[in-house]
Amino acid sequence: MGNMRNTGKLEQFEKIIGYHFQNRNLLRQALTHSSFANERHMAKRSDNERLEFLGDAVLELMTSDYLYREYPKYSEGELTKLRASLVCEQALAASTDEIDLGKYISLGKGENLTGGRKRKSILSDAMEAVIGAIYLDGGFAGAKEFVLKFILTDIEHKQLFYDSKTILQEYVQANYEEELNYPLLGESGPDHDKQFTAAACIGDMQVGVGEGHTKKAAEQAAAYQALLKFHYKPRQEAEGKCI
């Protein structure tokens, strides 16, 4: 009964991503976290870590190829920075929202109870594992279609989020006499799953609030919210304009 239910979930996930696996065991493995495999005493290397390793390389090549073609005026350094903003843990985890990936990952009981389905590291690793599985099952064509559809989207805002603290710092220096600072507003949760809340403030004026599993991530989210509040236009970043 469990296998039938699991197969049903896999079929449902295939419909969401628009890709049908010839070898569905690859998808099953891509969605198997190490905590689940260890808890069930599954065979060695039956979790998604090897597929994640492969998917990471496939994603980097496909992203590099796409950016090389779409941004012909960018230097090597600019391309490297833009690629990093698209394949970083935060961006990949955010990309999983559209396909509700967390719902389909097989997690151990402990990991599940402590919020593993929403943990960015688990989501981003599983996303890379799915890419690796599609690559093995359907070659570059299948993997490229998936990457273009779910990851290489909304590039300007992903870059804005990645560079949010730097961009906000430059904006504040150019427009305010007060200094930018990030006071910690609070923290919650157990040591292994902390949640931090930080504010972005110009002097005593709060301009953004963000949350994250590290202080740095919370500050980054707060800076991004501040930029949105200032109606910062991503495409104008090179000129340093905010309107």
Side-chain angles (χ1 to χ4, degrees):
M1 189 70 180
N3 280 341
M4 287 179 64
R5 192 181 300 118
N6 187 247
T7 299
K9 283 185 68 175
L10 296 179
E11 289 177 347
Q12 191 177 38
F13 186 70
E14 286 179 331
K15 288 180 181 177
I16 291 173
I17 65 174
Y19 180 84
H20 177 75
F21 277 81
Q22 301 300 313
N23 180 2
R24 194 170 279 154
N25 285 329
L26 285 169
L27 176 58
R28 183 176 284 108
Q29 184 175 0
L31 298 174
T32 300
H33 187 254
S34 57
S35 62
F36 182 86
N38 293 336
E39 193 175 274
R40 298 297 179 93
H41 304 292
M42 295 168 68
K44 280 188 176 182
R45 292 185 282 278
S46 56
D47 58 35
N48 64 6
E49 291 179 358
R50 280 171 51 85
L51 284 173
E52 175 207 335
F53 163 80
L54 178 61
D56 174 66
V58 173
L59 175 60
E60 183 161 316
L61 175 57
M62 290 182 172
T63 304
S64 301
D65 178 74
Y66 176 84
L67 296 179
Y68 182 86
R69 297 174 191 278
E70 295 295 319
Y71 294 80
K73 294 182 180 180
Y74 272 37
S75 67
E76 180 267 347
E78 290 171 320
L79 290 170
T80 298
K81 189 176 180 182
L82 181 52
R83 181 180 64 195
S85 72
L86 297 173
V87 302
C88 70
E89 181 180 292
Q90 296 262 18
L92 284 181
S95 296
T96 67
D97 289 346
E98 188 177 349
I99 58 177
D100 202 11
L101 181 58
K103 175 182 175 182
Y104 296 93
I105 300 173
S106 294
L107 289 174
K109 289 180 181 178
E111 198 68 64
N112 191 32
L113 289 171
T114 55
R117 294 192 187 281
K118 294 183 179 179
R119 190 164 295 131
K120 289 180 173 61
S121 58
I122 290 177
L123 291 170
S124 61
D125 289 350
M127 191 67 151
E128 289 178 336
V130 169
I131 293 168
I134 295 175
Y135 168 71
L136 289 177
D137 191 74
F140 263 97
K144 184 177 181 180
E145 187 175 341
F146 177 85
V147 169
L148 287 173
K149 187 175 181 181
F150 297 112
I151 296 175
L152 298 181
T153 58
D154 204 13
I155 290 176
E156 289 84 5
H157 275 94
K158 286 178 180 176
Q159 186 175 24
L160 177 63
F161 179 81
Y162 185 77
D163 292 332
S164 56
K165 289 185 72 175
T166 300
I167 296 170
L168 183 60
Q169 181 69 42
E170 292 172 352
Y171 175 71
V172 170
Q173 286 177 344
N175 294 279
Y176 292 87
E177 291 184 3
E178 298 91 342
E179 290 190 359
L180 176 64
N181 60 93
Y182 294 94
L184 184 66
L185 299 182
E187 57 181 276
S188 60
D191 287 341
H192 67 277
D193 192 28
K194 284 281 188 186
Q195 183 79 1
F196 296 91
T197 303
C201 295
I202 302 173
D204 294 329
M205 179 176 67
Q206 182 174 295
V207 292
V209 176
E211 295 183 341
H213 284 293
T214 64
K215 292 178 183 178
K216 184 178 178 181
E219 291 172 1
Q220 184 182 23
Y224 180 66
Q225 291 304 317
L227 290 172
L228 294 181
K229 183 177 181 179
F230 289 136
H231 303 293
Y232 188 90
K233 300 296 183 184
R235 287 186 180 85
Q236 295 178 319
E237 177 190 338
E239 297 138 276
K241 295 179 182 176
C242 283
I243 57 173

